């Protein structure tokens, strides 16, 4: 029985780490790195605003997407305690990450530019589909 507890506890930490890593990564992209160039940006965009312009989107749409991505990321961190929002946050982020990949494909970017979005999408889907209250409770209550 002790072995099962340790496995559940280990899974709880991995689950929590995945949520925190994903959330902080997205918040970082939309705050600290928003005005910086990156090899992952679409086309030859030097910052987030230029990237959205390259996609054909307005500045307002960039702010709306940023608001939701940051909000869902904060919700994902909050889901470490408020477990009822875990899947909403994870699947919400997954929808935005699918959109990011689709936009890279639409503008015919090399597939490598979609790598971060694809990695984060995989993480969001794993978080969303592997939601297990026992794992979460092991993290919170022990």
């Amino acid at each position: 029985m002790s072995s099962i507890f340790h496995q559940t506890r280990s899974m709880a930490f991995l689950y929590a780490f995945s949520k925190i890593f994903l959330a902080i990564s997205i918040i970082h992209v939309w705050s600290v790195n928003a005005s910086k160039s990156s090899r992952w940006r679409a086309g030859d965009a030097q910052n987030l605003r230029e990237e959205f312009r390259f996609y054909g989107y307005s500045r307002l749409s960039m702010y709306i997407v940023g608001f939701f991505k940051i909000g869902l990321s904060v919700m994902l961190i909050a889901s470490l305690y408020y477990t009822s929002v875990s899947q909403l946050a994870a699947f919400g982020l997954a929808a935005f990450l699918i959109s990011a990949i689709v936009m890279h494909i639409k503008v015919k970017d090399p597939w490598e530019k979609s790598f971060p979005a694809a990695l984060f999408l995989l993480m969001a889907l794993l978080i969303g589909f592997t939601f297990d209250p026992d794992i979460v409770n092991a993290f919170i209550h022990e």
Side-chain angles (χ1 to χ4, degrees):
M1 190 142 182
S2 170
S3 176
I4 293 172
F5 172 77
H6 290 300
Q7 288 176 346
T8 303
R9 187 91 167 136
S10 297
M11 286 299 298
F13 281 111
L14 181 61
Y15 190 69
F17 176 80
S18 298
K19 286 181 172 185
I20 293 167
F21 179 82
L22 177 59
I24 289 176
S25 296
I26 290 173
I27 291 169
H28 188 265
V29 167
W30 281 87
S31 58
V32 176
N33 278 358
S35 61
K36 297 179 181 175
S37 66
S38 167
R39 70 182 195 184
W40 312 113
R41 298 224 183 271
D44 58 356
Q46 296 299 305
N47 56 51
L48 205 49
R49 186 177 302 157
E50 287 181 18
E51 186 170 15
F52 268 70
R53 192 176 315 133
F54 186 80
Y55 290 141
Y57 290 121
S58 69
R59 191 176 192 179
L60 176 62
S61 65
M62 180 189 77
Y63 290 130
I64 292 169
V65 169
F67 172 81
F68 281 104
K69 283 181 119 174
I70 290 172
L72 289 165
S73 295
V74 169
M75 190 184 295
L76 193 60
I77 292 171
S79 75
L80 292 169
Y81 187 75
Y82 301 104
T83 58
S84 62
V85 299
S86 184
Q87 289 180 305
L88 174 64
F91 291 134
L93 284 171
F96 279 102
L97 292 163
I98 289 169
S99 298
I101 294 167
V102 167
M103 290 313 301
H104 279 292
I105 293 168
K106 180 181 172 190
V107 298
K108 297 179 175 46
D109 269 337
W111 69 269
E112 296 89 8
K113 292 200 177 202
S114 296
F115 177 75
L119 176 64
F120 294 160
L121 171 62
L122 178 62
M123 290 179 73
L125 292 174
L126 285 172
I127 290 166
F129 283 120
T130 60
F131 178 74
D132 182 349
D134 291 334
I135 291 174
V136 176
N137 286 332
F139 180 75
I140 293 172
H141 299 295
E142 292 295 325

